[in-house]
Amino acid sequence: MNEIVFLVEDAEGGLVARVLGHSIHTDADSYDELRKQARDAVRCHFDASEHPATIRLHYVKDEVLAA
């Protein structure tokens, strides 16, 4: 596996992230903390030989505007 993608979304009081295609998820209060948590989650989930070369954080912001 070359790359793993976290879908990052705003949550009440912070951020949540989940990996597409795997049961890996984490949360954090800040984006900097989320980076650390994502790396840690991937290290815990995969053996060293299966560890992806790249971790991508895809931040999705759903914004609703009043007309």
Side-chain angles (χ1 to χ4, degrees), residues 4-8 17 31 34-35 38 55-59:
I4 195 161
V5 179
F6 279 87
L7 179 66
V8 180
Y31 204 77
L34 186 68
R35 286 184 186 107
I55 299 170
R56 182 179 304 272
L57 301 179
H58 181 73
Y59 183 60

Side-chain angles (χ1 to χ4, degrees), residues 1-14:
M1 178 182 322
N2 206 20
E3 181 177 78
I4 195 161
V5 179
F6 279 87
L7 179 66
V8 180
E9 298 176 297
D10 291 322
E12 194 171 315

Side-chain angles (χ1 to χ4, degrees), residues 37-49:
Q37 296 287 72
R39 284 187 184 109
D40 187 49
V42 169
R43 282 188 204 113
C44 290
H45 189 78
F46 294 102
D47 292 332
S49 62

Side-chain angles (χ1 to χ4, degrees), residues 15-61:
L15 300 160
V16 295
R18 61 184 169 89
V19 174
L20 306 173
H22 294 278
S23 358
I24 306 172
H25 41 79
T26 189
D27 59 18
D29 294 330
S30 69
Y31 204 77
D32 286 336
E33 184 183 340
L34 186 68
R35 286 184 186 107
K36 294 174 189 168
Q37 296 287 72
R39 284 187 184 109
D40 187 49
V42 169
R43 282 188 204 113
C44 290
H45 189 78
F46 294 102
D47 292 332
S49 62
E50 298 175 328
H51 196 278
T54 305
I55 299 170
R56 182 179 304 272
L57 301 179
H58 181 73
Y59 183 60
V60 177
K61 184 170 180 114

